[in-house]
Amino acid sequence: MSSNKKYWKSVEELDQNSSVVEALRNNEFVEEIPTDEFLGNDGALSSSSTSRRDFLKYVGFSTAAATLAACEGPVNKSIPYVLQPEQIIPGVADYYATSVFDGFDFANLLVKTREGRPIKIDNNTIQGAAFSANARIHASILSLYDSMRLKEPKIEGKSAAWSAVDSKLKSSIVDAAAKGGQVVLLTSTLASPSSEKLIGEFIAKNPNAKHVVYDAISSSEALDAFETVYGERALVNYDFSKASLIVSVGADFLGDWQGGGYDSGYTQGRVPKAGKMSRHFQLEANMTLSGAAADKRLPMSTANQKQALVHIYNVVTGSSVGVTLEDKFKTEVTKAAQQLKAAGSKGVLVSGIQDKNAQLVVLAINQALASTAFTTSGVRQIRKGSNEKVNQLINDMKAGSVHTLIMSGVNPVYTLADSTSFVEALKKVKTSVSFSLKEDETALISTIAAAVPHYLESWNDVSFTKGSYGITQPTIRPLFNTKQFQDVLLSLNGMSGTFYDYIKGNASTIIAGSSWNKVLHDGVYVGVVPTVAAGSADYGAAATALAQSKASEGLELVLYTKTGLGDGQQANNPWLQEFPDPITRVSWDNYLTVSNADAKKYDLSNEIVANGGLNGSYASITTADGIKLENVPVIVQPGQAVGTIGLALGYGRKAALKEEMMVGLNAYPLYKSFNNVQSITLVKAEGEHEFACVQGQKTLMGRGDIIKETSLEIFNTKDAEIWNPQPMVSLDHKEVEATKVDLWSSFDRSVGHHFNLSIDLNSCTGCGACVIACHAENNVPVVGKAEIRRSRDMHWLRIDRYYSSESTFEGDNERKENIAGLSSSLSTFNEMEKAGDNPQVSFQPVMCQHCNHAPCETVCPVAATSHSRQGQNHMAYNRCVGTRYCANNCPYKVRRFNWFLYNKNSEFDYHMNDDLGRMVLNPDVNVRSRGVMEKCSMCIQMTQATILKAKNEGRVVIDGEFQTACSNACSNGAMKFGDINDKDAEVATLVADERMYHLLEHVGTKPNVIYHVKVRNT
């Protein structure tokens, strides 16, 4: 039936004689489309050739922020293609292999681009790509679109042309040679064959020049020890997959120790296979990711760690160096040492103690074991800094002998402990240049602030390990008027061409047997991996000197880097600021971690207040040299060694940051002599700090159906029904397995695809790479500290951290089972709510469980959430009216409610509030609005794209093709995704494994996410 209803957009349309209406009918575009602004004149356009990096010139129907980002600034118009680049197919993602090294983090990557915009980081899994992205590297794509970036070079704080920068630098170098002054290149570790060669040529041309390498987080003591023994400045690239016994003395090798990247090798030995798995002892002060994963953890101060290391040296080598190890540690340390010696070549020892003697003892122990995990082939080249040379540079600057200082990849005004001295010394340098991504603390006071491109806009080459080679290639045109440090260096050397030409020419001598195009396509190349010649040193003298080291008076401060912010380079990245720390579950802060015993001694406390937020005391600390840090918030940390305090570096930055990101306190002033251990005194300060903590529960409290755990002995000797018990319910007055009772009729899901996600608790280290990858893929908003504190975090994927109140989780279960009576129940549970002084720790990733019998679906009054035949629980955002019934009915608490509009809202001034930041958004995923529920979709856009690709190619989907953002990011193998209807698929095998269980199985929701019982080799 036809309708006579009249629709109109303005009152003018009701007047048929209106001249305005007629004009609008004949003029589709009210404003002239400004194609000339970016297409140029017809002659230039017709004679040009397009490439994928020219996409900004010929951009298609996409956000206009991308259109002019490389030129002047964003506009609010969408322009159709005039000439479509053949490489860009609208709606289809392109991937480019690249490698990243920022002086701290490194990885081999695939970069996903859409219509020319990089929008996501994936791991390069081609053979030879050995290093995967951590949480910070996954988040680095957002730093590309940081509106606070340095957009052009500046001289004396004023905008300048690159020609002026080039001219000033050249004249300064000439002036330095005439006056006998030094020209110093101060850089972070480069790990780039071409860059190092280029610097060598610069020094050869300028005899008064030298190169100083500075690592903000120093590994200099380990480098010095390795250089003493092997004659080369490098680090051992440990292969933990070859170790059956691992002893770590103060080394968080699952975190940032010596660059990190060891977790994938480690987890290969942590999954029980043929009844075997590796065993791990951890001796440490702070509770770390490595300590959380260990089978046996001993909390002890660094002073005690040094004595323990010498004791292990004595047992393994048969030496008799005198030690003063406390009795409470001796038994366990002796046990670890004896097992290490018995393991022989299958054992390995690592240490994070920043002492050359300690590092020499480590080399001695591994040599004595002939450890296969300790390999001197393919040594790491990602740390080469020298504390001695940095100190000498500062002295030279103070003496006025440094004429020109050229800095790249460093921010010493922020990261040096005595930055005040550096600032004063910098005033005596005639010309200082800071090549920086941002106008940071150092760039602000340098003569020249040289704007550099992001690594996704740059050419470079890398050699993370000796014998490996990788290419860094740009995936987008430079968004701003930037220039690479190496291109400027080429100009200073009087060489023509670009750094790209230089790399390509240099690569021909490295990639023998391959071609430039193949290496560019693959991103990596592995040639002959050389072995460093065997060496030795006076290990006995080193052990004796180490044993004689004295314990510090007062409290011991142990500085560390957090999984989220690392050394602080990406402090303006809201994804990382909001990322909850895996151990404390606190975001938007750094803090002092203290043991429960010390908290009682100094009257420090944490409490959960009425609104669910976590509050804590303040404390002020003072070093032996009088350096003071006032009003530092305190977290009472289970597992912290008594007499020690932890504090994270990387916070407290102010320069080139949005106000919301100026959080925490700068701990670098306490990093004296590049030593992460300092003697301090502590006093309680007035006031109470409000933390943004996403996890209120402190312990597991005997909830054995959430985290199922067993020992390797029981796993090997008992039936699965003992260590993986099935929950029982009553049916017709008989006990039956809960999984065999249904409240709803089941559908036949054997036809087509049926997706499952498997999570192995043995492999999960809590690293958080999956959390950030989920953010990037699914346009998850950042809500800020105030909202997090109200329990309104929007993470689709959380990693729950559980502590034990007894010595083990099984001890918790036994104590709960022995409760008798109401009064006993109340008192016992109250006691169990407190974590033990040295608890066991487990991490459990939790997202929407995509239940086949989903309780959320039955209560939605508008059918906004429904189940698919493929096993995914869908959300129709347009139908959702925000009743939140589904969230109330979800036993897993994985649904998130949009309390506010988080994009284009000045109240949430993060990346979604500006045009540049929104360039990172994935166009395949809707940006949700206020008042709707959202949650993990099991990345339906990725599964559907895989199905369509296979359909277009006329084939079936191959196992491994189906991925979610989290499974793709997980390099540890903890997350496996696939189709269980494919009986040959890996996930189908995992579903049938004896270790498999479902979360809250007794509820009967029949989830499509499965977990695997955690096995400890205790």
Side-chain angles (χ1 to χ4, degrees):
M1 185 173 71
S2 62
S3 172
N4 294 320
K5 186 180 289 185
K6 183 178 180 68
Y7 295 91
W8 47 275
K9 292 184 288 186
S10 70
V11 292
E12 286 286 349
E13 292 184 40
L14 298 178
D15 181 3
Q16 291 297 314
N17 298 319
S18 171
S19 60
V20 174
V21 173
E22 187 64 24
L24 289 173
R25 284 175 179 166
N26 296 324
N27 188 2
E28 181 182 357
F29 299 104
V30 179
E31 296 181 61
E32 183 181 353
I33 299 175
T35 54
D36 289 343
E37 290 183 19
F38 61 95
L39 292 178
N41 59 59
D42 292 340
L45 180 60
S46 60
S47 63
S48 65
S49 60
T50 65
S51 71
R52 64 184 173 85
R53 293 182 188 86
D54 286 328
F55 84 97
L56 288 169
K57 184 178 286 187
Y58 311 111
V59 72
F61 199 81
S62 59
T63 59
T67 307
L68 295 181
C71 307
E72 297 175 357
V75 294
N76 296 315
K77 301 180 180 66
S78 297
I79 312 301
Y81 280 104
V82 177
L83 292 178
Q84 178 181 320
E86 60 183 28
Q87 297 93 336
I88 294 178
I89 303 174
V92 177
D94 288 319
Y95 292 84
Y96 299 100
T98 190
S99 297
V100 57
F101 180 55
D102 63 6
F104 191 70
D105 293 314
F106 59 101
N108 306 116
L109 310 174
L110 289 179
V111 181
K112 179 182 179 181
T113 68
R114 280 294 303 271
E115 286 74 56
R117 290 180 297 120
I119 62 169
K120 188 169 178 288
I121 298 292
D122 285 331
N123 293 319
N124 190 349
T125 56
I126 199 167
Q127 187 175 1
F131 299 103
S132 300
N134 59 21
R136 293 185 296 270
I137 292 175
H138 277 288
S140 66
I141 198 152
L142 184 57
S143 295
L144 167 68
Y145 302 116
D146 186 351
S147 60
M148 302 293 287
R149 280 178 56 186
L150 185 57
K151 299 175 176 63
E152 59 188 346
K154 293 184 177 181
I155 299 177
E156 305 287 358
K158 297 179 181 179
S159 298
W162 278 108
S163 57
V165 171
D166 196 51
S167 175
K168 189 168 181 66
L169 262 177
K170 286 179 178 177
S171 62
S172 182
I173 291 169
V174 171
D175 190 45
K179 294 178 179 177
Q182 290 183 27
V183 176
V184 179
L185 301 178
L186 177 65
T187 73
S188 59
T189 302
L190 297 170
S192 166
S194 294
S195 298
E196 288 171 359
K197 182 184 176 186
L198 192 57
I199 288 174
E201 291 168 352
F202 177 80
I203 293 172
K205 185 178 179 183
N206 302 281
N208 61 327
K210 67 177 182 179
H211 182 205
V212 178
V213 180
Y214 166 49
D215 295 323
I217 309 294
S218 176
S219 296
S220 188
E221 306 295 347
L223 290 163
D224 292 343
F226 191 88
E227 190 172 19
T228 298
V229 175
Y230 296 99
E232 184 168 332
R233 198 163 186 79
L235 296 170
V236 178
N237 189 30
Y238 294 92
D239 186 353
F240 289 101
S241 67
K242 296 179 179 177
S244 63
L245 189 81
I246 301 163
V247 178
S248 170
V249 183
D252 182 18
F253 57 87
L254 295 181
D256 295 331
W257 176 74
Q258 294 188 2
Y262 292 112
D263 43 357
S264 59
Y266 171 80
T267 54
Q268 287 179 40
R270 298 297 289 167
V271 178
K273 295 172 185 172
K276 295 181 179 180
M277 63 180 284
S278 64
R279 194 166 193 214
H280 173 193
F281 288 89
Q282 185 80 12
L283 287 60
E284 63 182 11
N286 298 340
M287 174 67 84
T288 66
L289 292 180
S290 301
D295 298 303
K296 184 67 178 179
R297 178 181 181 272
L298 296 177
M300 59 171 65
S301 67
T302 306
N304 281 318
Q305 290 173 35
K306 290 178 180 179
Q307 300 300 322
L309 185 57
V310 177
H311 184 63
I312 295 169
Y313 169 79
N314 285 340
V315 173
V316 172
T317 64
S319 302
S320 55
V321 179
V323 295
T324 54
L325 186 62
E326 294 179 32
D327 291 339
K328 64 180 179 180
F329 299 125
K330 189 167 288 185
T331 300
E332 291 296 337
V333 173
T334 301
K335 186 189 297 184
Q338 289 172 343
Q339 291 185 22
L340 183 63
K341 184 176 182 179
S345 63
K346 292 296 181 182
V348 67
L349 181 139
V350 294
S351 177
I353 299 172
Q354 291 189 13
D355 183 299
K356 183 179 178 180
N357 290 320
Q359 295 302 324
L360 285 170
V361 169
V362 171
L363 298 179
I365 291 170
N366 286 310
Q367 284 183 351
L369 294 169
S371 171
T372 54
F374 173 91
T375 172
T376 56
S377 63
V379 290
R380 290 190 170 201
Q381 301 184 128
I382 44 84
R383 297 287 186 273
K384 290 199 175 180
S386 169
N387 297 346
E388 183 183 348
K389 290 182 179 179
V390 171
N391 290 331
Q392 183 59 50
L393 169 62
I394 296 171
N395 290 333
D396 289 346
M397 290 166 62
K398 288 178 179 177
S401 56
V402 178
H403 180 283
T404 303
L405 179 64
I406 303 173
M407 296 171 282
S408 176
V410 295
N411 185 9
V413 175
Y414 168 66
T415 57
L416 274 176
D418 190 8
S419 64
T420 305
S421 292
F422 181 84
V423 171
E424 290 302 313
L426 195 62
K427 292 176 181 176
K428 297 183 179 181
V429 176
K430 181 165 178 152
T431 304
S432 56
V433 189
S434 178
F435 284 86
S436 176
L437 195 67
K438 309 186 76 171
E439 197 169 10
D440 57 27
E441 291 80 356
T442 303
L444 278 171
I445 64 170
S446 297
T447 311
I448 301 172
V452 299
H454 190 270
Y455 76 88
L456 291 171
E457 305 167 311
S458 308
W459 283 104
N460 207 345
D461 59 1
V462 291
S463 180
F464 301 144
T465 58
K466 202 168 184 179
S468 71
Y469 185 71
I471 297 292
T472 299
Q473 63 168 318
T475 57
I476 187 173
R477 270 180 87 113
L479 299 177
F480 306 114
N481 182 20
T482 55
K483 204 168 188 178
Q484 284 184 243
F485 162 67
Q486 293 90 342
D487 277 313
V488 173
L489 210 55
L490 278 169
S491 177
L492 296 179
N493 285 352
M495 303 170 72
S496 60
T498 64
F499 189 50
Y500 163 79
D501 301 320
Y502 189 88
I503 294 169
K504 189 174 181 180
N506 196 41
S508 61
T509 63
I510 300 173
I511 55 173
S514 187
S515 67
W516 169 258
N517 284 345
K518 177 170 174 50
V519 175
L520 190 61
H521 172 271
D522 295 349
V524 293
Y525 166 83
V526 179
V528 177
V529 180
T531 300
V532 178
S536 186
D538 190 347
Y539 299 129
T544 301
L546 187 64
Q548 291 172 353
S549 58
K550 303 296 182 184
S552 58
E553 296 181 5
L555 290 168
E556 182 182 279
L557 174 69
V558 182
L559 300 167
Y560 68 101
T561 55
K562 283 179 70 171
T563 307
L565 277 199
D567 64 350
Q569 288 186 54
Q570 294 192 73
N572 205 43
N573 192 312
W575 286 350
L576 294 177
Q577 289 282 10
E578 192 144 299
F579 172 72
D581 182 77
I583 301 294
T584 64
R585 309 296 288 135
V586 173
S587 61
W588 293 99
D589 254 320
N590 67 336
Y591 34 76
L592 295 175
T593 56
V594 303
S595 66
N596 188 52
D598 287 325
K600 290 178 179 177
K601 180 179 178 181
Y602 292 96
D603 192 26
L604 305 170
S605 64
N606 289 148
E607 64 173 340
I608 297 176
V609 293
N611 68 355
L614 180 71
N615 287 5
S617 303
Y618 283 113
S620 296
I621 57 176
T622 308
T623 68
D625 297 320
I627 305 298
K628 193 170 185 178
L629 207 56
E630 296 184 321
N631 297 326
V632 191
V634 173
I635 286 285
V636 180
Q637 175 60 58
Q640 183 78 31
V642 177
T644 69
I645 306 288
L647 180 61
L649 299 161
Y651 285 79
R653 293 191 58 185
K654 304 295 181 187
L657 264 68
K658 287 186 176 181
E659 185 178 353
E660 291 81 0
M661 257 64 82
M662 296 180 188
V663 297
L665 292 149
N666 184 8
Y668 277 110
L670 308 175
Y671 191 36
K672 186 191 173 187
S673 302
F674 300 98
N675 193 337
N676 71 323
V677 179
Q678 301 289 333
S679 175
I680 63 162
T681 56
L682 179 147
V683 294
K684 183 179 180 180
E686 293 298 318
E688 200 170 50
H689 185 76
E690 296 184 344
F691 288 104
C693 183
V694 299
Q695 182 165 320
Q697 63 263 44
K698 300 173 185 176
T699 66
L700 193 66
M701 286 184 65
R703 294 180 284 246
D705 55 345
I706 295 176
I707 294 280
K708 289 191 178 183
E709 247 192 36
T710 189
S711 68
L712 183 63
E713 181 184 2
I714 293 174
F715 176 75
N716 286 334
T717 59
K718 305 289 185 182
D719 292 335
E721 62 187 22
I722 302 297
W723 49 263
N724 188 12
Q726 297 301 309
M728 308 295 285
V729 295
S730 177
L731 180 66
D732 296 332
H733 307 288
K734 294 179 182 179
E735 288 281 298
V736 297
E737 292 182 7
T739 54
K740 295 181 179 178
V741 179
D742 286 337
L743 295 178
W744 294 277
S745 299
S746 294
F747 293 97
D748 178 12
R749 303 191 185 279
S750 61
V751 179
H753 303 293
H754 189 185
F755 299 118
N756 269 207
L757 176 65
S758 168
I759 300 174
D760 195 327
L761 300 181
N762 264 52
S763 298
C764 180
T765 63
C767 72
C770 55
V771 176
I772 303 297
C774 177
H775 258 286
E777 175 66 30
N778 294 297
N779 301 333
V780 176
V782 173
V783 300
K785 181 175 180 177
E787 291 300 292
I788 292 281
R789 184 169 165 78
R790 294 187 180 99
S791 302
R792 293 176 178 175
D793 61 292
M794 295 299 295
H795 299 100
W796 283 12
L797 163 62
R798 69 177 192 262
I799 303 179
D800 287 339
R801 177 268 301 129
Y802 293 103
Y803 294 135
S804 60
S805 58
E806 300 297 304
S807 57
T808 64
F809 282 118
E810 186 55 38
D812 284 15
N813 293 337
E814 290 174 3
R815 188 173 184 186
K816 184 192 75 169
E817 294 300 325
N818 292 329
I819 292 174
L822 177 61
S823 60
S824 173
S825 171
L826 294 174
S827 60
T828 302
F829 276 125
N830 185 53
E831 291 170 6
M832 290 179 70
E833 189 63 47
K834 298 178 178 66
D837 289 334
N838 182 27
Q840 279 190 346
V841 185
S842 276
F843 298 110
Q844 184 177 57
V846 180
M847 66 294 289
C848 175
Q849 302 291 291
H850 295 272
C851 311
N852 288 319
H853 292 169
C856 57
E857 296 167 8
T858 58
V859 296
C860 181
V862 291
T865 184
S866 59
H867 211 71
S868 78
R869 182 168 288 279
Q870 295 179 345
Q872 292 153 310
N873 177 262
H874 291 176
M875 274 298 304
Y877 298 123
N878 283 355
R879 294 186 66 91
C880 181
V881 294
T883 63
R884 289 174 284 156
Y885 295 162
C886 57
N888 291 336
N889 223 38
C890 175
Y892 308 103
K893 300 307 166 194
V894 290
R895 289 177 165 265
R896 304 288 177 258
F897 181 65
N898 281 274
W899 291 92
F900 299 99
L901 183 67
Y902 298 117
N903 65 89
K904 298 184 181 179
N905 187 343
S906 60
E907 293 298 315
F908 298 91
D909 192 18
Y910 309 108
H911 69 289
M912 286 191 184
N913 192 44
D914 61 74
D915 288 340
L916 191 63
R918 282 195 296 273
M919 284 174 68
V920 82
L921 296 178
N922 183 358
D924 292 332
V925 179
N926 186 35
V927 177
R928 285 74 63 187
S929 187
R930 180 182 181 182
V932 302
M933 298 298 305
E934 61 178 78
K935 56 147 197 94
C936 161
S937 66
M938 209 175 261
C939 292
I940 187 171
Q941 70 280 2
M942 294 178 67
T943 56
Q944 292 304 107
T946 302
I947 292 168
L948 290 173
K949 180 183 178 185
K951 184 176 180 180
N952 287 338
E953 295 174 1
R955 59 175 179 81
V956 296
V957 179
I958 303 167
D959 182 37
E961 277 192 281
F962 283 124
Q963 291 289 347
T964 59
C966 55
S967 66
N968 222 5
C970 184
S971 59
N972 300 340
M975 292 182 172
K976 300 286 186 181
F977 181 76
D979 178 10
I980 58 171
N981 285 343
D982 177 2
K983 300 308 176 187
D984 296 325
E986 184 179 10
V987 73
T989 305
L990 292 169
V991 167
D993 193 274
E994 285 187 321
R995 287 201 296 135
M996 187 279 288
Y997 74 98
H998 292 108
L999 193 56
L1000 302 181
E1001 211 152 26
H1002 58 275
V1003 179
T1005 55
K1006 296 188 177 295
N1008 283 313
V1009 178
I1010 64 173
Y1011 293 85
H1012 285 76
V1013 174
K1014 189 175 180 72
V1015 181
R1016 292 189 190 268
N1017 192 357
T1018 51

